[in-house]
Amino acid sequence: MKQDLIAPSILSADFAKLGEDVEAVIASGADMVHFDVMDNHYVPNLTIGPMVCQALRSHGIQAPIDVHLMVKPVDRIIPDFANAGATYISFHPEASAHVDRTLQLIRDNGCQPGLVFNPATPLDSLRYAIHNVDMILLMSVNPGFAGQKFISTTLEKLMQVRAMIDESGLEIRLEIDGGVNLENIGAIAQAGADTFVAGSAVFGAGNDSDPNRYDSVIGQLRTAIAQAR
Ligand code: DX5
Ligand code: ZN
């Protein structure tokens, strides 16, 4: 299994001072920046695009940027995110007419491709695509908003995908996204995730005036994962 990564979702960061907020979570031990892209079409919300990704790179953020595309169609925007400094680019298979082509497009643009499955979406497209993904992302909420409740049937799905990855012998990250917090992250780790997105649990932790609030919550998340191992 790959090394555990904590990826705060900047959807819950302070957009008025995004660069500083991202710098602060990385300085506090976060491994990766989870970057939620919503188009008010595939999901009923509208967020950020390649310009903001580029702005984070220009600001000096060097951590991997994990772009989660909740957009339809997908392909047009991929080169823009690659040029803007994305590391991973994940998309929902039902948002692409040609899943294999989109995966290849991400790779051809120098990024690492991922497939995302909503809570009720079956894993069918993995059957022929697993050899071409670097990440599998399971949604544990319906995509579109931060701060929703973790859908517990995702634990069973995590175990299923963990078994598929182990059986494949491939180096594929297994990421969980939605409603992850201090109470459930241990069970999520036990079910097989190695990459943990947390939006409100990280950026909403503690008191704004406490300079150590991110250190504290990221430390606690990491401890809870370690205890589950
Ligand atoms: C939901 C997004 C998530 C979300 C996670 O569509 O993909 O990344 O921001 O936020 P929390 O951790 O608050 O559920
Ligand atoms: Zn996300």
Side-chain angles (χ1 to χ4, degrees):
M1 199 151 131
K2 296 186 93 103
Q3 186 202 339
D4 292 313
L5 299 183
I6 295 178
S9 160
I10 60 171
L11 196 53
S12 298
D14 182 347
F15 279 106
K17 47 172 182 144
L18 186 61
E20 287 163 50
D21 226 6
V22 172
E23 244 170 9
V25 284
I26 299 296
S28 295
D31 303 291
M32 184 154 81
V33 179
H34 186 77
F35 193 104
D36 286 307
V37 184
M38 304 186 187
D39 67 349
N40 188 38
H41 172 70
Y42 176 69
V43 289
N45 201 356
L46 186 66
T47 60
I48 46 177
M51 286 170 65
V52 176
C53 185
Q54 178 64 64
L56 289 177
R57 287 296 186 217
S58 303
H59 186 76
I61 301 299
Q62 289 178 354
I65 297 183
D66 174 30
V67 173
H68 173 193
L69 293 179
M70 287 160 275
V71 306
K72 184 179 180 175
V74 181
D75 293 5
R76 221 309 281 138
I77 205 72
I78 285 171
D80 295 10
F81 270 106
N83 291 330
T87 310
Y88 288 94
I89 301 181
S90 303
F91 65 98
H92 292 247
E94 65 275 21
S96 169
H98 307 281
V99 170
D100 183 77
R101 172 181 289 152
T102 303
L103 290 170
Q104 199 52 49
L105 184 63
I106 294 169
R107 216 178 270 292
D108 290 347
N109 274 271
C111 298
Q112 299 186 58
L115 274 181
V116 193
F117 297 89
N118 286 332
T121 304
L123 300 164
D124 298 0
S125 49
L126 271 186
R127 182 162 179 199
Y128 296 108
I130 194 163
H131 295 274
N132 208 11
V133 300
D134 289 339
M135 180 185 292
I136 298 168
L137 168 48
L138 296 189
M139 292 304 300
S140 37
V141 298
N142 289 295
F145 302 94
Q148 302 180 80
K149 190 176 179 298
F150 184 87
I151 295 172
S152 57
T153 49
T154 316
L155 289 175
E156 191 189 321
K157 210 171 178 187
L158 271 174
M159 290 189 257
Q160 202 184 337
V161 177
R162 169 50 56 201
M164 288 167 80
I165 293 173
D166 290 350
E167 201 179 318
S168 76
L170 298 164
E171 292 280 306
I172 299 171
R173 285 207 160 275
L174 178 49
E175 184 171 46
I176 186 83
D177 183 9
V180 176
N181 58 36
L182 277 171
E183 283 68 50
N184 59 23
I185 199 164
I188 292 166
Q190 240 158 24
D194 54 32
T195 309
F196 306 83
V197 175
S200 39
V202 170
F203 287 103
N207 197 307
D208 271 9
S209 58
D210 175 5
N212 294 319
R213 67 197 179 113
Y214 295 150
D215 299 72
S216 158
V217 67
I218 291 169
Q220 289 175 66
L221 289 169
R222 222 179 268 293
T223 303
I225 296 167
Q227 280 168 355
R229 294 285 175 236

